[in-house]
Amino acid sequence: MQSNEPDRRRFLKTLAMSGAAAAALPRFPGILHAANDPTGPPATNIDDALAVPRVATSMPGLYPGRVVEVHDEHCIVDDSPDTTAAKRMLEHAMMELTGSTTLADAWLRFVTPNDIIGLKVNPVAGTLLSTSLAIVNAVISQLEEAGIPREHIVIWDRREFQLHEVGFTSDNFPGIRIWGTECKDAANSFRDANGELYSLQRIDKDVFYWADCEETYDDETLPYMVNEGKYSYFAALLTNELTKVINIPILKNAGNSITLCLKNLAYGAITNTARLHKQLWAETSAQVPCFVPLRDKTVLNIVDGIIGCYNGGPAANPQFIIPYHCLLVGSDPVAVDRIGYDIVLKKRIEKEIQKQESPRALAFMNMAEQYGLGIADPSRIDHVVSLSQD
Amino acid sequence: MNIFSFVIFPLLLMSQNVLAQQSSPLLSDKDLPGWKVEAVETYTSQQLYGYINGGAELYLEYGFRMVSAQRCVQQKNEFMVDIYEMISPLAAFGMWSISHRTCASTLQGVQYSCVTNDQVLFARDKYFVNITMYDRSNETRAAARKAAEVLAKRIRGTNAELPPAFASGPLASKDSPQYFIQGPLALQSIVGNWSDHVEGIRRFDLFLTRIGKGNTATDAGLYRFRSRRDLDVFLGNVGLKNAPRKNGWLVNKAGSRAAKSIDERQLWYLEGGKQIERLMQRL
């Protein structure tokens, strides 16, 4: 039986995984104390994450506060993102972000041929509003051009079957591993012959996000959540196999706010999320990326804004899906989120869904900035906008 | 005449009707000749996170019982039918109201319906039906519309009734969208800035419409709170608690916000645009 407090011995593994010590994370008493305030949100084990020393690759990475926004009005062909255009846009963004003179050099600033690289995509809204195959193809081809072996690349998210549904299959990506924490067998069953969830073999119970709230799930729901209780476990692929993560969310709203880099990482990397959606949405989005596996391995964020949405998100409602014709690229997930938020907000205002921004929508970004994950203050963001050339 | 005619047969008919009313309306292959209607998948409120992930909360906020999902396929053509059973006709209307923006047409005889290039949406009785097309072929559009018409006929019951001011009074207009909102998430989808108005209030009902166009449009709402305390919190949040009165309305100095209590839990609320004075006289 699990206790209600995080196991300190397990936490030692998290500490050990952090590698060589660097500058300690800044501490923000206001936020930390708020977690223990009986009138505030439920307490979490964020203190444990913040105590782990940072390393050279820790967020916000190589280019804090720098965001490149690339536009191409011809990036959609026959209602679908065009791979050729996506490659052109991504190349342009990578060169602009890094200042490199060659594309290979630009990529090798973030990864090496020895890395095992997870491409964290977002297929949860189905084919209409998923990270596009075009942009993922573009990333893979440019990684290969930089010398990364194909077998070192994994397309990854929580639900393997959702990945397949939107086209992340072996047929479309030969030689690339497609992996989801929650998975089924060939007979479409979540459970093995002993009735145990396959997913339990795909999580790392030594690395977890603990929050003082819980929910019970019925037999049908449990396979989607993996476990009940106060623990959310990280995907074993992330903790044990991947050495780098390239985060590829899609440009979409979540109510008044957005679901881009931080949310894609946070809710995509752990189990037992329904309880968090309800009570700790902003906290989870800002806190889970503070844990070593995400904080120190996520080196690059590429927001697929070729097609996105401005309302109805995070689900796909075709009425609100539009071409944004852009990519947002940066190592700083908070800054990229902030720029993405501005783009979505502008569209919501244009469509008369909002008249001005809602301060609460920014809460998780401001929180993430205080945790040292990046820059949320727009006046400190180096936002480069450019057109990709045909 | 025998006992079968008088007693058993009517009882059988009654039980079938009861069953039909209790189970979700569904499609079969016979409804769409040439198409394959795949087996239905159902998800209850607890399972909704498994089906639509973070999108689940909006449905749960309104009051959701289950969704029946059916994929319809014809070679490369495909569309998805999601039949959401909500807790009431009003909840179904609410989901429909916030799920569409502009419609190319409507379904004949279905009061709350919307057809676009990509979707057919309608609310009838306690069901909100959302048909999403995955391609834009004429075959898919025609079949999706047919599926909606079949389901609309199959669903019996009463539609949501709107308050008189919205149904036939000063807030009724075929040019003005009408919404039913039942919590903060839905509010974010329609009037994002009003989220701050309901801070500290967990549940509320709001009938809302927008009178006028562009910057001159006024948002007009009828709030129904759960308690007097919530109504007071709202007035505080919108800065009207101690505002001066004008013809029974609390109006802020700029004249951009006005509220009038109907009773301890209900109030009219007007914001923005050029219609406030006119609406204050008519409500």
Side-chain angles (χ1 to χ4, degrees), chain B residues 23-164:
Chain B
S23 58
S24 282
L26 295 172
L27 292 170
S28 72
D29 286 342
K30 287 179 187 170
D31 296 321
L32 301 171
W35 286 74
K36 172 70 183 162
V37 180
E38 295 184 353
V40 64
E41 292 183 13
T42 58
Y43 302 87
T44 63
S45 58
Q46 277 221 320
Q47 298 157 359
L48 197 57
Y49 280 101
Y51 184 50
I52 53 175
N53 218 288
E57 289 162 48
L58 194 57
Y59 288 89
L60 298 174
E61 183 176 84
Y62 272 104
F64 163 89
R65 286 213 173 109
M66 62 178 286
V67 58
S68 304
Q70 289 187 289
R71 188 179 296 275
C72 302
V73 184
Q74 182 202 55
Q75 295 170 347
K76 288 188 173 178
N77 302 326
E78 181 181 346
F79 62 91
M80 190 76 188
V81 181
D82 290 315
I83 304 160
Y84 292 91
E85 182 183 336
M86 308 300 289
I87 59 164
S88 67
L90 202 50
F93 168 78
M95 274 309 305
W96 173 80
S97 73
I98 67 160
S99 298
H100 72 279
R101 203 81 179 164
T102 49
C103 309
S105 63
T106 57
L107 296 173
Q108 196 172 9
V110 184
Q111 186 180 5
Y112 305 130
S113 64
C114 176
V115 181
T116 74
N117 285 339
D118 307 294
Q119 272 177 303
V120 184
L121 304 151
F122 73 88
R124 178 169 266 189
D125 192 37
K126 61 187 176 182
Y127 295 100
F128 165 54
V129 177
N130 180 355
I131 300 179
T132 304
M133 302 171 223
Y134 289 131
D135 64 88
R136 289 184 168 177
S137 66
N138 290 334
E139 291 85 352
T140 297
R141 281 182 190 162
R145 191 179 189 107
K146 175 85 184 298
E149 289 166 351
V150 167
L151 288 170
K153 278 186 188 161
R154 217 158 267 171
I155 298 171
R156 306 235 170 120
T158 51
N159 274 339
E161 280 190 26
L162 303 187

Side-chain angles (χ1 to χ4, degrees), chain A residues 197-272:
Chain A
L197 290 171
Y198 293 112
S199 310
L200 290 171
Q201 305 300 317
R202 295 188 173 203
I203 59 175
D204 185 345
K205 288 196 169 181
D206 288 344
V207 189
F208 52 81
Y209 180 59
W210 177 90
D212 193 13
C213 60
E214 59 188 318
E215 188 157 336
T216 55
Y217 306 116
D218 63 18
D219 285 348
E220 297 296 321
T221 308
L222 192 60
Y224 296 99
M225 294 295 144
V226 186
N227 63 278
E228 299 175 326
K230 296 185 177 182
Y231 289 79
S232 290
Y233 300 109
F234 280 76
L237 175 84
L238 172 67
T239 61
N240 295 329
E241 292 188 59
L242 301 180
T243 57
K244 296 281 170 60
V245 173
I246 296 174
N247 185 22
I248 320 179
I250 184 165
L251 188 54
K252 59 181 182 176
N253 79 300
N256 264 0
S257 191
I258 46 155
T259 167
L260 300 185
C261 302
L262 292 167
K263 169 90 180 338
N264 190 45
L265 291 172
Y267 281 85
I270 58 173
T271 63
N272 189 16

Side-chain angles (χ1 to χ4, degrees), chain A residues 326-355:
Chain A
C326 74
L327 297 181
L328 302 176
V329 181
S331 70
D332 179 338
V334 186
V336 175
D337 271 4
R338 176 61 212 227
I339 297 303
Y341 168 78
D342 288 343
I343 292 171
V344 172
L345 175 66
K346 184 178 172 192
K347 187 56 71 177
R348 286 171 68 81
I349 290 173
E350 180 189 318
K351 297 288 186 181
E352 297 182 4
I353 292 167
Q354 280 184 246
K355 289 180 179 168

